[in-house]
Amino acid sequence: MGELEQKLVWHGRTKRKAWMVWGGWFAITLLTIYCWMEMTEDTIWFFVLDAPVQAADLIDRMFPPEWSYIHLLYKALWDTLNIATLGTLLGVILAFPVAFLAARNTTPSVVFVRPIALLIIASSRSINSLIWALLLVTILGPGILAGVIAIGLRSIGFVAKLLYESIEEVNGTSVEAIESTGASRFQTINYAIIPQILPAFLGITIFRWDINIRESTILGLVGAGGIGLFLSSSLNVLAWPQVTLIILVILATVVVSEFLSAKVRELLI
Amino acid sequence: MLKIEHLKKRYKTGPWVLKDISFEVPDGEIVGLIGPSGAGKSSLIRCVNRLIDPTDGNIQLDDVNLSSLSAGKIREQRRHIGMIFQEYALVERLSVMENVLSGRLGYLPFWRSFLRRYPEQDIDNAFEYLERVGLIDHANKRADELSGGQRQRVGIARALAQDPRLLLVDEPTASLDPKTSRQIMRLIQSICREKSLSAIINIHDVPLAMQFVDRIIGLQGGEIVFDGKPEALTEDVLTRIYGDEDWTSVKPDEDDLENGEAA
Amino acid sequence: MRTWQRPHYLVPDKRWRIALWIVFALYLVIGISSVEVNWQRAYEGLERGMRFMEGFVNPNFSRRAADIYSGILESLTMTVTSTVVGILLSIPFGMGAARNISPKPIYLFCRSFIAVSRSMQEVIVAIFLVALFGFGAFAGFLTLTYATIGFLGKLLAEEIEEIDNKQLEAISSTGASWLQRVHIAIWPQVMPRMIGLSFYRFDINFRESAVIGIVGAGGIGATLNTSIDRYEYDSAGAILILIILIVLACEYFSGWIRKWVS
């Protein structure tokens, strides 16, 4: 009897679950349709229908790329590389303490310090580097510095989040063992935690560097230095052959950096 | 001399893990702590070096009351209490030598330990301990290259590097094969004898315990139900500690077999 | 007295270590010196920096309330539609890009489509799509959809390539058609992870939707751009806080859904 009842209850639950799943899909569909209508309210469909013609026209104007323009891009590319690398360094240096303040097992206070560290991480992660750059250009003036700091600020959250997760996964008895020798808090971090998270830390840093190369190519659009500045000025004068060349250079850089970071990570791990 | 008086422990709102534990360990005595899983053995030794805080009671090592020390002061006292762990608890990505030297951390300022600038005396001693545990050739290997028994030897050397007055040993052989287990227990025993160190050893393996310790304390449900010489550990006592079981097979002494069938 | 030096496992040779440090230091010197800082300008910026901090602490939601409202709404609608359409399209592209289930020509086409999508910054794509489709949310929608296909398509392809081949063989041996194989042998294996990744992508799309507005592709980015350009840091602060809150809410919600699904 008891068994039968249990079976019935269980059956009822799956049925309800099935209804909830269907309801969920239905709600998503409705939401999508609503959003679509809301979004396309101001769309001028003539432009959309005209797009293939525009595209053909644009491609016609973009090719061939203006190869002779390339000698102007070397310096810009070097700047872009510096923005990404120095920005990553800055972000990593700042993220390191934040991660330790955010990890449950190393934070000095779960109630006061940890929420602040998590807030820093969330703010940094939610705001794209281009927005940081936009802000910093108005504060510091245009230039590479704004780009470096923008990349750094965006990287804090990314690096700190992954790092604090790996700190929380550290082997607890090793930490206990070091504590039991009478080591201070910093000694425990230095001896028990850092050796354990070091591989993850290096991996995260290189991963972020790779992403930052990609992001730093466009920071120039808002004046924060690098190859994006040239992209912006070529776009402004509608010099499409130059734009093509810049895009090709950016693509090549991204591919090379991806290859490099994959190689280095292979070496380290 | 370690003196424990009316020690009690409970975690937050849970049940009492330790209920009124009192005993003394004179210098040089090796005490085996036996009892079923969950009897509170682990909590008991972790209360001694305050890896966990006791709820009530006194723990006194020589003339210092450990249970009332602040977090800063307890670090100074932890230096005198070496601890050896079940899963070795080495930092696997550090070298063997760094693991041994980490026993000196409580004596050094941060910058010296950070730069690995240990006093010559410490390094000399560390080599000596590594020699003592038979690992002198492995000093610069990474700890994760060693076998289980070798890792436990590093753990012992680390505890020795602290120059301790008391050893706390938590299930030293639980992850080792029988032969290595005996070697490790023998090593711990002979080191304690040489340095007239006292030790509290949590151990599951009753015959092994009876062979290598001076005194046995049986823990059951957070209470001491036996305290005496290993020889006094009769079947009745084992039943009191662990519950009903056929104990004849665990007795190391053939003579005791005549006591007949277990209930 | 015996001496001891810490062994280095990563670069065991001391000369190499020193060489690497020198290269690193040299790069730092050259790299940092290439950052031309206009100290005068930066000093003047300090005051503005303080104002921004103040604006962030005391955000002003009311001055641009209408713009903020419509901008956030547009960002959200773009995010929803582009994520849904992106997911739907990433399924054929992802399956096409999985070596173990698709014919060579289709594989090559899908792979290169995904590779291009992944190496192009959303903002650059947006610039082109705005040029083609005109200013507004539709260009933004297309940008985010394109990026979603690249992101999810690659992960889906990898996931499919890693599935248990025995199951696939077992199903094929019963004489199942290609669609049946996909439905029975592949879909159940990759489904749970794909749901999690889709929510993650939703999150990314929302963050990106705040950026592509800067180049005219709709969403809150345009409003943010104007308020920063006019030094209205309190309005900018309000927008940034809204973005942070929405991202946090998305993360919380997706964590909840993932728990519920698995």
Side-chain angles (χ1 to χ4, degrees):
Chain A
M1 185 63 198
E3 202 186 345
L4 192 69
E5 251 174 36
Q6 245 174 6
K7 255 187 188 161
L8 278 174
V9 170
W10 182 73
H11 191 72
R13 228 184 70 193
T14 41
K15 217 170 185 178
R16 197 165 64 223
K17 203 170 173 180
W19 274 111
M20 277 176 79
V21 169
W22 282 114
W25 285 117
F26 188 64
I28 289 176
T29 315
L30 272 188
L31 181 71
T32 311
I33 293 171
Y34 167 77
C35 286
W36 176 265
M37 285 162 58
E38 180 76 37
M39 183 188 79
T40 52
E41 206 173 305
D42 301 328
T43 306
I44 301 165
W45 293 103
F46 172 73
F47 283 161
V48 175
L49 294 176
D50 192 39
V53 181
Q54 294 290 329
D57 185 40
L58 188 61
I59 289 172
D60 193 41
R61 270 187 275 168
M62 280 175 71
F63 287 94
E66 192 182 325
W67 295 109
S68 58
Y69 189 59
I70 198 155
H71 68 276
L72 285 172
L73 296 182
Y74 294 130
K75 172 73 169 66
L77 202 58
W78 169 244
D79 285 345
T80 300
L81 194 76
N82 284 334
I83 291 173
T85 311
L86 297 176
T88 309
L89 276 176
L90 177 71
V92 163
I93 291 169
L94 294 174
F96 207 71
V98 174
F100 279 94
L101 296 179
R104 241 169 233 292
N105 46 350
T106 51
T107 184
S109 156
V110 179
V111 187
F112 298 108
V113 181
R114 184 162 190 266
I116 295 174
L118 289 180
L119 186 71
I120 293 175
I121 292 176
S123 317
S124 150
R125 266 163 49 80
S126 310
I127 298 170
N128 200 292
S129 51
L130 195 63
I131 297 178
W132 283 120
L134 197 63
L135 259 174
L136 287 162
V137 166
T138 68
I139 293 173
L140 296 170
I144 297 175
L145 184 66
V148 171
I149 299 177
I151 291 286
L153 288 177
R154 171 66 183 88
S155 304
I156 293 175
F158 181 91
V159 175
K161 176 161 193 278
L162 293 175
L163 197 59
Y164 97 73
E165 281 167 356
S166 74
I167 294 173
E168 286 183 349
E169 280 166 22
V170 138
N171 176 352
T173 50
S174 306
V175 178
E176 219 181 20
I178 296 296
E179 276 175 358
S180 77
T181 65
S184 67
R185 180 193 286 272
F186 286 111
Q187 285 174 325
T188 309
I189 288 176
N190 181 213
Y191 273 72
I193 295 178
I194 289 185
Q196 293 192 57
I197 60 164
L198 203 59
F201 173 68
L202 293 175
I204 296 164
T205 305
I206 293 163
F207 186 29
R208 187 64 223 184
W209 177 77
D210 185 23
I211 300 175
N212 281 345
I213 290 272
R214 210 171 298 214
E215 304 223 317
S216 59
T217 56
I218 52 156
L219 294 183
L221 290 174
V222 296
I227 198 163
L229 278 176
F230 287 77
L231 180 62
S232 169
S233 55
S234 296
L235 278 170
N236 283 340
V237 296
L238 299 177
W240 291 104
Q242 292 176 5
V243 172
T244 314
L245 180 73
I246 295 170
I247 301 271
L248 286 177
V249 169
I250 289 177
L251 278 181
T253 314
V254 167
V255 170
V256 170
S257 79
E258 201 167 332
F259 174 78
L260 269 181
S261 74
K263 273 277 167 267
V264 175
R265 274 201 289 177
E266 232 169 71
L267 260 177
L268 287 178
I269 297 162
Chain B
M1 168 135 113
L2 177 75
K3 199 187 212 174
I4 295 176
E5 286 169 328
H6 305 297
L7 178 66
K8 291 176 189 150
K9 172 71 191 169
R10 77 192 291 190
Y11 294 97
K12 293 210 172 115
T13 54
W16 289 96
V17 195
L18 299 173
K19 312 167 187 165
D20 202 16
I21 303 280
S22 300
F23 63 91
E24 287 177 12
V25 184
D27 289 344
E29 189 176 69
I30 304 176
V31 177
L33 206 56
I34 63 169
S37 307
K41 306 189 302 272
S42 223
S43 301
L44 175 54
I45 66 167
R46 279 173 171 72
C47 277
V48 174
N49 65 356
R50 290 276 299 279
L51 283 178
I52 59 178
D53 285 327
T55 315
D56 197 14
N58 276 328
I59 301 165
Q60 196 152 339
L61 181 64
D62 298 326
D63 45 4
V64 181
N65 190 344
L66 298 173
S67 48
S68 62
L69 286 178
S70 67
K73 292 268 188 252
I74 189 66
R75 262 186 236 129
E76 273 170 39
Q77 292 304 316
R78 276 185 188 154
R79 302 184 302 199
H80 308 305
I81 306 174
M83 190 155 176
I84 296 166
F85 292 81
Q86 174 180 351
E87 300 279 357
Y88 333 122
L90 302 182
V91 182
E92 312 227 315
R93 297 184 57 87
L94 290 184
S95 65
V96 166
M97 192 62 179
E98 279 168 295
N99 269 293
V100 176
L101 285 170
S102 68
R104 300 304 297 168
L105 288 177
Y107 295 93
L108 290 180
F110 177 75
W111 67 269
R112 282 197 91 133
S113 63
F114 181 77
L115 298 172
R116 308 307 198 248
R117 309 269 302 190
Y118 285 87
E120 282 181 11
Q121 185 63 48
D122 286 3
I123 291 172
D124 236 32
N125 289 343
F127 273 117
E128 189 190 305
Y129 300 135
L130 276 178
E131 198 142 26
R132 178 70 186 80
V133 300
L135 288 176
I136 191 73
D137 296 333
H138 300 279
N140 278 338
K141 277 192 183 164
R142 232 164 70 167
D144 55 7
E145 292 176 59
L146 303 184
S147 70
Q150 288 173 325
R151 289 188 208 191
Q152 192 56 291
R153 287 163 193 274
V154 178
I156 294 171
R158 172 173 65 192
L160 284 180
Q162 283 177 247
D163 197 12
R165 301 204 292 257
L166 170 70
L167 279 183
L168 300 174
V169 191
D170 191 16
E171 303 284 4
T173 62
S175 319
L176 300 174
D177 65 62
K179 185 178 171 216
T180 319
S181 296
R182 297 175 73 80
Q183 289 171 343
I184 291 292
M185 284 303 286
R186 189 170 294 122
L187 182 64
I188 293 174
Q189 186 195 37
S190 59
I191 283 169
C192 285
R193 294 277 181 271
E194 282 164 31
K195 300 181 179 288
S196 71
L197 265 174
S198 45
I200 302 179
I201 306 180
N202 270 353
I203 188 159
H204 262 302
D205 190 334
V206 177
L208 197 64
M210 291 170 72
Q211 199 176 346
F212 290 104
V213 304
D214 305 324
R215 171 182 165 198
I216 282 188
I217 292 179
L219 225 54
Q220 216 288 306
E223 283 169 300
I224 295 182
V225 292
F226 173 81
D227 187 347
K229 293 264 163 221
E231 300 80 54
L233 203 62
T234 62
E235 281 154 32
D236 289 350
V237 175
L238 284 174
T239 305
R240 228 184 316 144
I241 299 172
Y242 288 98
D244 283 347
E245 182 53 71
D246 178 4
W247 297 112
T248 47
S249 54
V250 304
K251 282 294 208 174
D253 275 0
E254 295 284 326
D255 306 351
D256 286 335
L257 278 174
E258 57 195 80
N259 283 353
E261 307 291 296
Chain C
M1 288 281 169
R2 269 181 284 194
T3 56
W4 169 79
Q5 265 184 338
R6 175 190 201 179
H8 289 257
Y9 298 111
L10 207 57
V11 188
D13 193 325
K14 193 168 183 179
R15 283 164 299 181
W16 270 109
R17 272 207 312 280
I18 292 172
L20 283 174
W21 277 115
I22 289 175
V23 169
F24 180 66
L26 264 177
Y27 170 74
L28 271 192
V29 171
I30 298 171
I32 290 175
S33 62
S34 81
V35 179
E36 290 149 12
V37 184
N38 182 345
W39 291 109
Q40 175 75 29
R41 178 71 181 72
Y43 180 74
E44 285 164 19
L46 265 185
E47 185 258 326
R48 268 190 226 118
M50 287 308 289
R51 277 232 327 265
F52 168 68
M53 293 295 226
E54 260 169 55
F56 197 73
V57 178
N58 288 313
N60 181 339
F61 290 90
S62 54
R63 185 182 317 124
R64 292 186 167 269
D67 284 349
I68 294 177
Y69 175 76
S70 65
I72 290 276
L73 193 68
E74 200 168 54
S75 267
L76 281 171
T77 54
M78 269 158 58
T79 309
V80 171
T81 48
S82 64
T83 310
V84 170
V85 176
I87 291 170
L88 292 179
L89 289 178
S90 73
I91 293 171
F93 274 103
M95 292 198 307
R99 201 175 302 128
N100 53 345
I101 59 164
S102 75
K104 195 89 186 186
I106 297 182
Y107 167 75
L108 286 176
F109 171 74
C110 292
R111 269 286 146 164
S112 41
F113 185 87
I114 287 173
V116 173
S117 157
R118 285 176 56 79
S119 37
M120 294 276 261
Q121 253 289 330
E122 278 90 337
V123 174
I124 296 178
V125 177
I127 290 172
F128 279 93
L129 291 175
V130 167
L132 296 182
F133 291 86
F135 288 98
F138 194 76
F141 157 75
L142 288 175
T143 307
L144 295 178
T145 306
Y146 183 61
T148 308
I149 296 173
F151 178 86
L152 286 178
K154 173 163 188 263
L155 294 168
L156 180 63
E158 278 169 3
E159 200 84 344
I160 293 176
E161 282 172 357
E162 270 170 27
I163 62 166
D164 188 359
N165 248 324
K166 284 205 192 95
Q167 281 190 42
L168 194 59
E169 273 169 18
I171 302 285
S172 319
S173 71
T174 62
S177 71
W178 189 86
L179 258 180
Q180 282 170 319
R181 287 207 305 257
V182 168
H183 176 66
I184 296 172
I186 296 175
W187 193 238
Q189 289 194 56
V190 298
M191 175 79 170
R193 218 172 108 75
M194 287 315 290
I195 289 181
L197 287 171
S198 304
F199 277 101
Y200 181 49
R201 186 64 217 188
F202 183 87
D203 200 52
I204 300 178
N205 278 349
F206 179 74
R207 279 184 258 167
E208 290 296 331
S209 79
V211 172
I212 52 179
I214 296 174
V215 295
I220 188 68
T223 317
L224 185 60
N225 197 1
T226 340
S227 46
I228 292 177
D229 274 347
R230 296 189 185 164
Y231 304 113
E232 291 172 10
Y233 290 125
D234 46 358
S235 297
I239 297 172
L240 293 181
I241 287 173
L242 282 176
I243 293 174
I244 294 171
L245 285 179
I246 293 175
V247 169
L248 279 181
C250 287
E251 255 175 33
Y252 182 78
F253 184 69
S254 73
W256 184 78
I257 290 267
R258 252 177 287 179
K259 227 181 264 169
W260 199 75
V261 164
S262 61

